Amino acid sequence: MNLSSRSERLMGTTITVSIFHPQADEILAQCFELLRTYEHRFSANDTSSELMVVNHQAGIRPVQVHPELFELITLGTIHSQAKDSHMNIAIGPLVQTWRIGFSDARRPESEEIEQALLKIDPEQIQLDQESQSVFLKRPGMKIDLGALAKGYSADLIATFLRGKGICDALIDLGGNILTLGQHPIKQQPWRIGIQNPVESRGQHLLVLSIENKSVVTSGIYERHLEVDGQSFHHIFDSQTGYPVETDLASITIISDRSVDGEIWTTRLFGEAPASILDIVNSLPGIDALLVSQSGKIAYTNGLQTYL
């Protein structure tokens, strides 16, 4: 029996799921059916998605949503409202103003950025646990779950695979990897490469040995807008409306749940490297690897375990 893999372009990236099972083709087909459902549920770029119903009703009325969408928005809201957090799921108007990563990306006028900043306050997200409804209090607000949806989806797929009795699997959502068990053929931990941000795709700075963990990398080297000799990346500062100013090229988080990797790479992007390491060292079961734009590496105390 061989390791079976299937890949599809979804969620703005190439997703690959690899499993070892006699009915692999059938199970992989079910995985991708679920992933298409999650994409439609959580997408901020599909005008017909479940999330966009909430956005379209901003300033008008609360919208009752699917329990998974409510849970993800709740999680994002908690971490967006946390002290000193760089996460902001209400950042949709700013993302849509710049459009970095899309064919119509452009540098907005300062007046447009000022207007967008008025609509990105996560304190204006109102959640009703009882009715499972979400209300964006200001007209023009837009939730964007791009910083969380892939990790949350990966965790749901892992739960589905465990329910099928699969102990060994690799779920790769482009920069977001979740491992179950180990490599079933080689009988060793999964080997996960960390991209060298100053080299071409596939050139690794180092390789981690991972079992039953998630590896999430967020970086400024993938999506760019070049204007008049200036380069703008896609990770925004909610205070300025411009891309975050940082010496870091990437943050990688190793955690049990993939959504936690998404949360902490986003919450911490914009902090000084020493501060990031201090914060992650205080979080149980989570480790970080930081890569500067010059290629310098720093990491938390527990990362040695994976080298």
Side-chain angles (χ1 to χ4, degrees):
M1 192 164 57
N2 295 321
L3 188 67
S4 299
S5 296
R6 176 166 169 165
S7 298
E8 278 190 36
R9 184 87 187 163
L10 286 170
M11 301 182 182
T13 191
T14 300
I15 294 178
T16 304
V17 182
S18 305
I19 62 173
F20 189 71
H21 193 276
Q23 282 88 46
D25 289 348
E26 182 186 330
I27 291 170
L28 288 170
Q30 292 172 326
C31 279
F32 279 89
E33 195 58 45
L34 285 170
L35 285 162
R36 280 187 287 276
T37 299
Y38 303 149
E39 180 178 47
H40 181 70
R41 185 159 290 148
F42 306 137
S43 175
N45 299 306
D46 174 357
T47 55
S48 69
S49 75
E50 292 178 43
L51 173 62
M52 289 302 279
V53 178
V54 175
N55 291 345
H56 292 322
Q57 296 300 319
I60 302 170
R61 66 174 181 88
V63 176
Q64 188 174 27
V65 298
H66 188 280
E68 289 168 352
L69 181 54
F70 187 82
E71 182 180 42
L72 188 53
I73 291 174
T74 301
L75 192 61
T77 302
I78 289 166
H79 287 280
S80 297
Q81 294 178 356
K83 188 175 183 290
D84 299 327
S85 173
H86 294 268
M87 173 178 281
N88 182 358
I89 63 164
I91 206 163
L94 192 59
V95 172
Q96 294 301 327
T97 299
W98 283 84
R99 301 281 295 165
I100 293 175
F102 298 93
S103 59
D104 55 349
R106 63 188 182 89
R107 180 181 178 169
E109 298 295 330
S110 56
E111 294 81 11
E112 293 175 88
I113 292 170
E114 291 299 322
Q115 284 301 308
L117 289 176
L118 297 173
K119 303 170 189 168
I120 65 167
D121 180 3
E123 298 289 338
Q124 302 303 312
I125 301 172
Q126 183 177 300
L127 303 170
D128 186 321
Q129 177 74 46
E130 195 173 333
S131 65
Q132 299 273 289
S133 67
V134 183
F135 180 45
L136 307 182
K137 295 183 189 177
R138 289 185 190 159
M141 284 184 73
K142 290 184 176 75
I143 290 177
D144 187 322
L145 296 172
L148 291 170
K150 285 197 294 182
Y152 186 79
S153 299
D155 292 331
L156 290 174
I157 292 297
T159 299
F160 168 76
L161 291 175
R162 288 190 188 102
K164 295 288 184 181
I166 292 171
C167 304
D168 302 306
L170 185 72
I171 303 162
D172 180 350
L173 281 73
N176 182 319
I177 295 186
L178 182 58
T179 66
L180 299 190
Q182 57 180 2
H183 195 295
I185 312 293
K186 298 178 181 176
Q187 295 291 296
Q188 64 184 36
W190 296 98
R191 305 279 284 157
I192 310 299
I194 302 300
Q195 173 69 33
N196 185 331
V198 297
E199 297 287 347
S200 57
R201 199 103 172 89
Q203 299 295 310
H204 297 145
L205 272 174
L206 46 82
V207 178
L208 305 176
S209 296
I210 302 292
E211 288 184 60
N212 292 310
K213 292 274 183 182
S214 163
V215 180
V216 173
T217 299
S218 182
I220 63 169
Y221 53 87
E222 293 263 292
R223 285 188 270 163
H224 280 269
L225 170 65
E226 307 288 335
V227 181
D228 299 332
Q230 271 189 294
S231 182
F232 300 94
H233 62 79
H234 73 290
I235 300 175
F236 292 103
D237 184 329
S238 291
Q239 303 305 310
T240 67
Y242 286 85
V244 169
E245 290 187 19
T246 178
D247 291 330
L248 282 181
S250 67
I251 300 178
T252 298
I253 294 284
I254 299 157
S255 54
D256 291 337
R257 294 193 312 167
S258 193
V259 75
D260 290 330
E262 298 263 34
I263 286 165
W264 288 104
T265 55
T266 310
R267 273 190 66 162
L268 297 171
F269 221 112
E271 291 292 312
S275 173
I276 293 171
L277 295 180
D278 284 346
I279 291 166
V280 178
N281 275 325
S282 74
L283 298 170
I286 294 184
D287 279 289
L289 170 72
L290 313 181
V291 183
S292 72
Q293 294 190 45
S294 62
K296 184 181 170 190
I297 294 175
Y299 48 80
T300 50
N301 303 333
L303 196 98
Q304 288 285 141
T305 326
Y306 308 106
L307 296 174

